[in-house]
């Protein structure tokens, strides 16, 4: 495992900071990027990874972006101390105290080296109850999964593909030297995107200073682990030891048995009903009984374990 493995950290954030009477915003380090009726958008020194919005009607400053990308050029890993250092620098540039700002959105995640291919991992993570699921592909290859509801978006995706496509060769070399990244090994990123962070704070505003506390960081870590555990997974069948038991009859049943809990059905009942629905002029009663016996014999060859072989919960709990 790489140096950065087993680490969870903050990434994207959106902060709303009311402008107080004592505040004088310093625009010296900002470049105006766009103008709207009641708002102006700025970036820091040509860096598009951080947006600064000045909203006139509300007398408010909004900060949006990934602090790790802004200060390090990547979001592979950034420590809490580095986060605070970046906020201090940004606050100094703007001439305001950002720690009293309200957190409107935030992302918290981790990168893990996994003991199987990214493709196999993603294909065996199916859904989270009560959330919409979406798959991402590059051609025929799955590269990511997303589960979403009005308050939360959960993402799983191929880390190496992002690194190779988005980061310069120099930064890739830094990841190899300082974080142990190996381009030949499979890595997955798990992220919680909080669209309503106040839900983590009993419905109250979440202030930046409170979000950066050790207690709240531990809360985010625990929530990320619980989110991952809530993902319904396949890959919990035990492959028969005998070659003869892995045949054209057992293979579809293996798939169906793994999907039972996720989609709330019973394989035996579905097959029995399907056989019964076939007209007797096609399958006689004795034909139907014979096929049910074969299905029953094949089902005896299938055993489910309690956990998917693609479940990485243990890797997450080592933090």
């Amino acid at each position: 495992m790489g140096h950065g493995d087993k680490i969870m950290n903050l990434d994207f954030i959106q902060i709303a900071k009311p402008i107080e009477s004592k505040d004088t915003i310093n625009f010296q380090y900002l470049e105006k990027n766009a103008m709207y009726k009641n708002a102006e958008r700025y970036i820091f020194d040509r860096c598009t990874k951080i947006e600064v919005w000045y909203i006139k009607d509300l007398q408010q400053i909004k900060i949006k972006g990934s602090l790790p990308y802004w200060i390090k050029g990547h979001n592979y890993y950034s420590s809490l101390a580095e986060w605070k250092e970046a906020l201090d620098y940004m606050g100094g540039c703007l001439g305001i105290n950002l720690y009293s700002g309200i957190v409107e959105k935030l992302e918290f995640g981790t990168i893990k080296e996994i003991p199987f291919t990214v493709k196999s991992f993603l294909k065996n993570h199916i859904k989270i109850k009560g959330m919409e699921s979406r798959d991402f592909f590059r051609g025929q290859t799955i590269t990511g999964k997303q589960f979403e509801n009005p308050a939360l978006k959960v993402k799983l995706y191929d880390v190496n593909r992002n690194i190779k496509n988005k980061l310069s060769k120099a930064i890739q070399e830094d990841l190899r030297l300082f974080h142990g990244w190996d381009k030949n090994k499979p890595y997955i990123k798990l992220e919680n995107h909080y669209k309503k962070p106040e839900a983590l704070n009993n419905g109250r505003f979440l202030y930046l200073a409170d979000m950066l506390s050790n207690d709240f960081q531990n809360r985010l870590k625990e929530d990320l682990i619980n989110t991952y555990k809530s993902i319904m997974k396949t890959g919990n069948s035990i492959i028969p030891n005998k070659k003869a038991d892995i045949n054209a009859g057992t293979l579809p049943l293996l798939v169906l048995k793994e999907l039972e809990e996720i989609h709330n059905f019973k394989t035996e009942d579905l097959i029995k009903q399907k056989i019964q629905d076939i007209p007797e002029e096609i399958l006689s009663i004795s034909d139907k009984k014979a096929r049910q016996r074969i299905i029953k014999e094949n089902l005896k060859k299938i055993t489910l374990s309690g956990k998917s072989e693609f479940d990485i919960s243990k890797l997450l709990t080592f933090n």
Side-chain angles (χ1 to χ4, degrees):
M1 300 290 177
H3 303 162
D5 198 71
K6 304 190 181 79
I7 301 295
M8 299 182 179
N9 61 279
L10 293 157
D11 189 1
F12 176 92
I13 195 165
Q14 179 173 313
I15 311 161
K17 173 68 173 75
I19 299 172
E20 301 172 23
S21 56
K22 64 181 185 337
D23 291 330
T24 302
I25 307 300
N26 181 11
F27 291 93
Q28 178 183 347
Y29 301 97
L30 299 176
E31 178 184 326
K32 189 176 289 186
N33 186 257
M35 288 188 66
Y36 303 91
K37 184 178 180 181
N38 295 309
E40 297 171 354
R41 186 177 69 197
Y42 297 82
I43 57 173
F44 264 102
D45 295 328
R46 299 175 302 281
C47 175
T48 57
K49 297 301 180 183
I50 291 288
E51 295 179 359
V52 179
W53 289 73
Y54 172 47
I55 303 171
K56 299 176 184 177
D57 286 1
L58 299 177
Q59 277 299 288
Q60 186 183 79
I61 289 285
K62 277 185 190 279
I63 312 290
K64 302 179 184 180
S66 168
L67 261 68
Y69 262 111
W70 183 55
I71 60 174
K72 304 181 77 171
H74 65 81
N75 65 346
Y76 191 86
Y77 173 64
S78 179
S79 70
L80 197 59
E82 288 172 325
W83 250 75
K84 292 176 180 177
E85 184 179 334
L87 287 168
D88 289 340
Y89 174 71
M90 186 185 293
C93 290
L94 294 172
I96 55 175
N97 175 15
L98 294 175
Y99 291 95
S100 60
I102 296 166
V103 180
E104 295 185 325
K105 294 179 183 178
L106 75 97
E107 295 176 12
F108 188 84
T110 188
I111 289 175
K112 295 296 171 191
E113 181 189 333
I114 53 177
F116 18 71
T117 66
V118 170
K119 179 181 176 181
S120 296
F121 177 85
L122 291 172
K123 281 188 172 293
N124 283 278
H125 286 66
I126 310 300
K127 72 173 187 176
I128 297 178
K129 189 175 181 181
M131 302 184 85
E132 291 186 8
S133 303
R134 182 181 176 190
D135 294 346
F136 294 90
F137 290 87
R138 180 75 171 180
Q140 298 299 312
T141 304
I142 188 167
T143 59
K145 287 262 186 176
Q146 179 177 293
F147 312 101
E148 187 170 13
N149 65 23
L152 180 68
K153 181 191 294 181
V154 182
K155 294 184 76 172
L156 285 169
Y157 59 87
D158 183 349
V159 172
N160 283 357
R161 182 176 174 275
N162 264 29
I163 289 175
K164 292 171 185 176
N165 290 343
K166 294 182 178 180
L167 303 183
S168 68
K169 295 293 183 183
I171 291 178
Q172 289 181 37
E173 182 63 10
D174 284 347
L175 295 183
R176 186 185 70 79
L177 291 173
F178 301 112
H179 295 285
W181 173 65
D182 184 339
K183 65 181 180 181
N184 298 312
K185 293 181 178 179
Y187 297 87
I188 199 77
K189 180 125 191 219
L190 166 67
E191 295 174 339
N192 271 347
H193 294 205
Y194 295 96
K195 296 185 275 186
K196 298 179 180 179
E198 61 272 16
L200 293 167
N201 199 36
N202 298 317
R204 300 189 300 270
F205 285 140
L206 175 62
Y207 291 96
L208 183 58
D210 295 329
M211 187 203 74
L212 295 171
S213 69
N214 288 332
D215 284 347
F216 200 84
Q217 290 298 301
N218 288 332
R219 172 87 180 274
L220 290 172
K221 290 176 183 179
E222 183 180 339
D223 202 45
L224 189 66
I225 292 168
N226 289 334
T227 295
Y228 178 76
K229 288 180 177 179
S230 73
I231 301 174
M232 295 180 176
K233 309 164 187 76
T234 49
N236 61 333
S237 58
I238 298 172
I239 304 300
N241 291 322
K242 296 179 182 178
K243 181 179 178 180
D245 289 340
I246 307 174
N247 55 51
T250 54
L251 284 171
L253 296 177
L254 276 169
V255 175
L256 284 170
K257 291 299 286 184
E258 288 190 0
L259 292 170
E260 280 184 342
E261 185 177 348
I262 293 171
H263 296 291
N264 194 27
F265 67 83
K266 192 172 180 183
T267 299
E268 293 89 330
D269 292 343
L270 282 181
I271 294 174
K272 184 178 179 181
Q273 186 60 53
K274 178 57 69 177
I275 291 173
Q276 288 175 350
D277 288 343
I278 298 172
E280 288 185 15
E281 57 265 26
I282 297 174
L283 285 182
S284 67
I285 293 175
S286 59
D287 289 334
K288 292 180 180 182
K289 287 181 178 179
R291 280 155 178 77
Q292 285 180 345
R293 280 195 301 270
I294 294 169
I295 296 292
K296 192 173 182 181
E297 287 304 312
N298 280 331
L299 282 168
K300 287 179 181 178
K301 300 169 186 175
I302 298 171
T303 306
L304 297 181
S305 64
K307 199 172 193 179
S308 168
E309 63 177 296
F310 298 98
D311 191 310
I312 61 166
S313 296
K314 284 186 177 180
L315 292 180
L316 298 176
T317 54
F318 284 159
N319 286 276

